[in-house]
């Protein structure tokens, strides 16, 4: 990974085909990003990438305390998320405030997420893998699945297609946008592994900022996930992703028939733990 300076933003070269100036993580709850991708966030932010967090729900369901209220927990978790983002070097934090535990990929949620993508125009979007539903004694939270499903719908068609949600460009003057790549937090079968050995302490510090959710005795277990993710590449600590690359719409289209592809290409205009846990970390939700 190399860093290239431009006149405005610093452009990070992730590999030969992917340069990144802006990135965005879209996720359901405070602390979701810190679990599975905060090492990569810290590494990219340190390299000069402008990072935006977009938290879809308000986190108000994440407590077993009978004396806690949803309103108080919402405020606590928003403050924790803001602190974690500051530690990681995240520039923008967006709170969409949908209700924790009740999230569905409705058109209102889709519009809200597409709006933020069109505003911030990320080169790369991070989210969870919506196909992960259970494994290793863990049942995935339905909000995680719903938020990730919304992200997939934003790429095709919500954020990328002019005549989808036309009010976003007609009334709000937000042009369509499609990222260069989508990074899905991989549970057990990543195709891309990011070495985060030099920022692991930053990740853990950000994770522990979520004091209402995370116990310090979970740190060794979380580091264990990261060690396992790094073994194949001999990294001390790593995070794993499934990565989807999207064509630049300005480039000539390849002949799908020659390449044997049966599915149509997405229409649009240019405008996690890394392994499935054998047991859940000590997290209060």
């Amino acid at each position: 990974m190399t860093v290239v300076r431009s006149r405005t933003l610093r452009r990070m070269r992730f590999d030969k085909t992917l340069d990144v100036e802006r990135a965005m993580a879209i996720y359901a709850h405070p602390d979701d990003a810190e679990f599975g991708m905060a090492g990569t966030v810290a590494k990219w932010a340190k390299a000069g990438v402008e990072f935006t967090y977009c938290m879809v729900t308000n986190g108000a369901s994440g407590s077993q305390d009978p004396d806690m209220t949803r309103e108080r927990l919402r405020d606590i978790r928003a403050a924790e998320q803001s602190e974690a983002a500051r530690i990681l070097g995240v520039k923008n934090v967006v709170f969409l405030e949908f209700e924790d535990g009740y999230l569905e990929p409705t058109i209102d949620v889709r519009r809200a997420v597409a709006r933020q993508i069109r505003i911030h125009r990320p080169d790369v979007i991070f989210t969870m893998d919506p196909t992960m539903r259970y494994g290793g004694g863990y049942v995935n939270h339905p909000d995680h699945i719903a938020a990730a499903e919304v992200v997939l719908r934003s790429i095709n068609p919500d954020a990328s297609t002019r005549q989808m949600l036309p009010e976003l460009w007609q009334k709000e003057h937000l042009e369509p946008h499609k990222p260069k790549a989508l990074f899905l937090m991989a549970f057990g079968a990543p195709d891309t592994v990011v070495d985060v050995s030099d920022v692991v302490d930053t990740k853990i510090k950000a994770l522990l900022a979520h004091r209402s959710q995370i116990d310090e005795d979970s740190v060794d277990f979380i580091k264990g996930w990261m060690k396992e993710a790094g073994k194949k590449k001999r990294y001390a600590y790593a995070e794993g992703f499934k990565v989807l690359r999207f064509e630049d719409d300005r480039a000539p289209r390849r002949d799908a028939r020659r390449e044997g592809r049966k599915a149509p290409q997405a229409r649009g205009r240019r405008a996690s733990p890394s392994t499935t846990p054998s047991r859940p970390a000590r997290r209060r939700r």
Side-chain angles (χ1 to χ4, degrees):
M1 181 180 69
T2 59
V3 177
V4 181
R5 293 182 182 274
S6 67
R7 291 182 181 178
T8 53
L9 299 176
R10 294 171 66 190
R11 185 172 71 252
M12 183 198 74
R13 181 154 297 155
F14 180 72
D15 60 23
K16 292 181 180 180
T17 63
L18 182 60
D19 289 344
V20 185
E21 291 184 341
R22 292 176 294 272
M24 189 173 195
I26 304 171
Y27 54 98
H29 312 111
D31 80 22
D32 285 349
E34 276 67 60
F35 263 91
M37 65 181 81
T40 304
V41 172
K43 188 181 185 79
W44 287 22
K46 187 177 179 180
V49 173
E50 180 182 292
F51 226 105
T52 297
Y53 268 5
C54 180
M55 188 180 73
V56 181
T57 82
N58 58 13
S61 294
S63 177
Q64 299 284 13
D65 182 353
D67 296 322
M68 179 62 71
T69 66
R70 292 184 65 86
E71 292 75 19
R72 186 155 64 93
L73 186 59
R74 175 199 64 200
D75 294 343
I76 289 170
R77 300 197 69 189
E80 290 173 347
Q81 182 61 97
S82 294
E83 181 182 350
R86 179 189 58 77
I87 291 166
L88 296 169
V90 173
K91 184 173 182 181
N92 311 300
V93 183
V94 178
F95 300 95
L96 296 184
E97 295 285 351
F98 290 94
E99 283 297 328
D100 181 0
Y102 300 85
L103 193 66
E104 299 285 349
T106 65
I107 196 65
D108 287 341
V109 180
R110 291 166 58 186
R111 182 185 296 105
V113 169
R115 176 182 291 112
Q116 294 303 319
I117 291 171
R118 293 187 187 209
I119 289 171
H120 296 283
R121 310 186 74 76
D123 298 308
V124 173
I125 294 176
F126 288 78
T127 194
M128 290 192 179
D129 183 346
T131 67
M132 192 281 175
R133 302 184 66 84
Y134 58 84
Y138 173 72
V139 173
N140 200 8
H141 195 292
D143 285 0
H144 297 164
I145 299 168
E149 176 65 26
V150 167
V151 173
L152 264 63
R153 296 186 190 196
S154 75
I155 290 169
N156 186 22
D158 296 347
S160 63
T161 305
R162 186 172 298 279
Q163 296 302 336
M164 185 66 195
L165 303 170
E167 64 273 19
L168 292 179
W169 65 271
Q170 290 176 343
K171 297 180 180 180
E172 300 181 40
H173 309 292
L174 297 173
E175 288 292 317
H177 178 74
K178 183 169 68 176
K180 298 175 183 178
L182 173 66
F183 280 52
L184 298 175
M185 288 167 51
F187 294 85
D191 57 39
T192 301
V193 176
V194 178
D195 182 5
V196 297
S197 305
D198 60 339
V199 291
V200 65
D201 290 340
T202 303
K203 168 174 175 154
I204 296 302
K205 184 178 178 182
L207 191 61
L208 291 175
H210 298 278
R211 288 173 287 276
S212 69
Q213 306 296 306
I214 309 298
D215 294 328
E216 287 202 30
D217 58 1
S218 296
V219 168
D220 289 342
F221 184 66
I222 293 162
K223 283 185 172 180
W225 292 346
M226 301 168 71
K227 287 179 180 179
E228 187 65 29
K231 277 184 178 179
K232 189 174 181 179
K233 294 281 190 177
R234 297 184 179 180
Y235 299 149
Y237 297 99
E239 292 172 342
F241 303 92
K242 294 178 182 178
V243 179
L244 285 72
R245 311 286 181 119
F246 306 114
E247 288 185 354
D248 186 332
D249 287 343
R250 297 172 299 179
R253 296 284 186 183
R254 294 195 297 266
D255 188 332
R257 290 174 296 178
R258 288 178 59 188
E259 298 190 9
R261 290 186 291 180
K262 297 180 180 179
Q265 287 193 337
R267 293 182 294 115
R269 285 176 170 76
R270 186 175 178 86
S272 83
S274 53
T275 57
T276 304
S278 58
R279 63 179 177 84
R282 295 185 182 180
R283 185 181 181 189
R284 294 195 175 97
R285 58 175 299 109

